[in-house]
Amino acid sequence: MDSIVIFLSAAVVAGTPLLFATLGEILTEKVGNLNLGVEGMMLMGAVMGFLLAFKTGNLMFAVIGAAAAGAFGALIYAFLTIGLRANQVVSGLALTIFGTGFSSVIGQSAQLIGEKVPNTIDRFFDVLPVPGLNNIPFIGPIFFNHDPFVYLGYILSIILGIYLYNTNKGLNLRAVGENPACADVASINVNLYKYINVLIGGALCGLGGAYLSLVYIPTWQENVTAGRGWIAVALVIFAAWNPYKAIFGAYLFGGLSIVAFRFEILTRYIPQYFIDMLPYLVTIIVLVVVSMRKNKKNLAPMALGNAYFREER
């Protein structure tokens, strides 16, 4: 039982960067924009957060810088797809390539490769048990015995769920994602909603990248995200664009990514490369299953991927 609790607790940590990125993409897609540049925004947030942490030793600068870098990547995408009405798929793929190159250039030019997060930053991410909750049998050690970033993931998931389903602004956002022309007729500023929520989504992706470089792997290395951005894109579909379901999905895939490390005995019977492939294999299976079980609850926003120009109404 202890080994299972330890594994599930580690799965929560491993799934936290996926959760941030998934929440960001849910917000982006709910407003009608398909951004496949999650990997690029995560890398931009990861390198900028690590750079500021390494140079200044200030956690606040690092976190704000990571969120700003992710939002900057999203701004590029938003300008192309909302302002210029460029193809969203192509723009997202271009953002991934840009973000990958951006992180590589910054990492090499600032000589960050192999450097570790300063102790002044690292100590802020020590385990911080939640008094009372961490003593709940089984549940407590799994969910309430982590660093503050993990708890931030819980909070953001709840806030985003309330925002989408229990506020007028969230209703307007969903209207824009479903039918921007009708939303425009109802005096909702479509482009403003798109810009704001796409930028917030990019900032969340940047925070996901920062968690990887500052906490999960507190040493800078090239391509630190290792494809997690693409898993986050698939998790949006797995979670049916629901922030609450995204919590379960992120931690499930987080657990799959660490199976080989926590259960080394498996490598005696199963090839290591197959185990490493599991998260991506399950991603494909999930996409196939979800596409075969279409219903109103797991359908994408109607206007997802379509550029809107009010003169074409």
Side-chain angles (χ1 to χ4, degrees), residues 30-71:
K30 272 293 190 180
V31 81
N33 280 66
L34 176 63
N35 188 353
L36 298 181
V38 176
E39 182 86 354
M41 293 183 292
M42 289 182 73
L43 281 169
M44 293 174 71
V47 71
M48 191 55 63
F50 190 92
L51 175 65
L52 290 173
F54 183 71
K55 295 295 185 182
T56 68
N58 189 301
L59 175 63
M60 188 62 67
F61 287 168
V63 172
I64 293 175

Side-chain angles (χ1 to χ4, degrees), residues 35-37 77 87-99 230:
N35 188 353
L36 298 181
Y77 166 84
N87 184 281
Q88 294 182 11
V89 174
V90 174
S91 299
L93 294 175
L95 177 57
T96 291
I97 298 171
F98 173 78
W230 298 108

Side-chain angles (χ1 to χ4, degrees), residues 267-279:
T267 58
R268 299 179 185 177
Y269 308 101
I270 304 174
Q272 176 70 43
Y273 293 113
F274 181 83
I275 296 176
D276 293 340
M277 183 182 68
L278 273 179

Side-chain angles (χ1 to χ4, degrees), residues 140-248:
I142 294 174
F143 293 104
F144 302 108
N145 194 38
H146 295 288
D147 63 82
F149 246 64
V150 173
Y151 305 137
L152 179 61
Y154 302 160
I155 295 170
L156 288 176
S157 299
I158 295 171
I159 291 175
L160 186 55
I162 294 173
Y163 169 56
L164 288 176
Y165 303 122
N166 301 100
T167 67
N168 289 332
K169 297 293 184 183
L171 178 62
N172 291 344
L173 179 152
R174 288 185 286 136
V176 170
E178 294 292 338
N179 194 325
C182 288
D184 200 0
V185 170
S187 300
I188 297 172
N189 191 328
V190 173
N191 284 351
L192 180 62
Y193 267 87
K194 282 180 173 287
Y195 266 106
I196 290 176
N197 289 283
V198 167
L199 292 185
I200 295 175
L204 290 174
C205 291
L207 289 178
Y211 187 81
L212 285 170
S213 62
L214 296 177
V215 186
Y216 194 66
I217 311 172
T219 302
W220 179 251
Q221 60 186 49
E222 294 283 344
N223 194 30
V224 68
T225 53
R228 289 178 176 86
W230 298 108
I231 293 179
V233 173
L235 276 174
V236 174
I237 302 173
F238 177 82
W241 291 268
N242 187 316
Y244 303 126
K245 294 180 181 179
I247 300 176
F248 169 74

Side-chain angles (χ1 to χ4, degrees), residues 1 5 22 51 54 75 94 99 111 129-130 178 186 204 227 291:
M1 182 62 69
V5 169
T22 303
L51 175 65
F54 183 71
L75 178 61
Q111 299 181 343
V130 179
E178 294 292 338
L204 290 174
S291 65

Side-chain angles (χ1 to χ4, degrees), residues 276-294:
D276 293 340
M277 183 182 68
L278 273 179
Y280 309 98
L281 178 62
V282 173
T283 299
I284 295 172
I285 294 173
V286 165
L287 291 177
V288 172
V289 171
V290 171
S291 65
M292 293 172 62
R293 299 178 59 186
K294 290 184 177 179

